[in-house]
Structures are given as C-alpha cells and as structure tokens.
Amino acid sequence: MTQKRNLSTEKIIEAAKEIINKERAEKLNFSKVAGVLGVHSQAMYPYFADKEELKIVVINDFLDSLAEQIKEELQGISGKEALRIYGRKLHELLLIQP
C-alpha cells in the first residue's frame, strides 16, 4: 500500500489517466484512483477537492501534452505547410486516445 506521504499530484493524475484509458472518464472516481494507488480515497482530498477537479486537471494535462507534441512537430515551419502539419498531427494524436 502506498503511504500517504508518498502520494503526489502527479501520481494521482497518472492513476486517473490509467482508469480513464481502461474504463472511460465517466467511471473515474476517487475510490478507483485510490485502489490503483493503494491508498484510502480520503488521502486524495488534500490534492483535489473532488473528482470533477481531478478530471479538469487530467484534461489540462492532456491538452498541454498535445500542444507540446504539435509544437515540436512545427519547429521551424510556417504558413500553409504548418497548418497542414498541425491538422494532421492533431488528428493523429486525437485518434490514438481511447
């Protein structure tokens, strides 16, 4: 069992992503995240007020990741070519998400 002192925002987010990837966002709750982490669900309240806040953070993390990957792909490219690459990469990244 993970000790409460070893718990972190990042670990909670990663566990939430794991659940979302396996079961969809609708199934996400503190009990399931706690089960993945081996802690009591109450241990997560210092990090997130509720599951909706956790979902928002996971979505923001996902969007930041998308933006970073697209930014890397567009390094040094501009104009219409950049727009084509942007659209292709965004489409590709969204399709691989469960």
Side-chain angles (χ1 to χ4, degrees):
M1 182 174 261
T2 302
Q3 296 294 323
K4 183 178 176 181
R5 65 180 171 271
N6 292 332
L7 200 57
S8 69
T9 301
E10 293 77 20
K11 287 179 182 178
I12 295 170
I13 291 169
E14 289 306 312
K17 285 185 204 177
E18 184 180 319
I19 292 165
I20 290 169
N21 287 338
K22 288 180 183 175
E23 302 182 36
R24 298 286 200 219
E26 299 82 30
K27 301 288 185 178
L28 181 68
N29 61 47
F30 274 15
S31 295
K32 288 185 181 188
V33 176
V36 169
L37 295 170
V39 298
H40 296 288
S41 57
Q42 294 86 351
M44 292 186 295
Y45 284 98
Y47 300 91
F48 299 98
D50 54 30
K51 74 176 182 178
E52 295 308 315
E53 181 181 351
L54 176 56
K55 284 181 183 180
I56 290 167
V57 171
V58 170
I59 290 167
N60 286 337
D61 183 71
F62 170 70
L63 293 175
D64 288 346
S65 173
L66 279 181
E68 188 60 36
Q69 291 177 61
I70 291 170
K71 185 173 119 179
E72 288 174 15
E73 191 85 14
L74 293 175
Q75 198 77 30
I77 302 170
S78 63
K80 289 182 181 180
E81 181 62 18
L83 289 173
R84 278 193 283 278
I85 292 170
Y86 174 84
R88 179 185 48 78
K89 188 65 176 180
L90 181 61
H91 182 252
E92 173 188 311
L93 293 170
L94 292 173
L95 282 177
I96 61 174
Q97 293 305 308

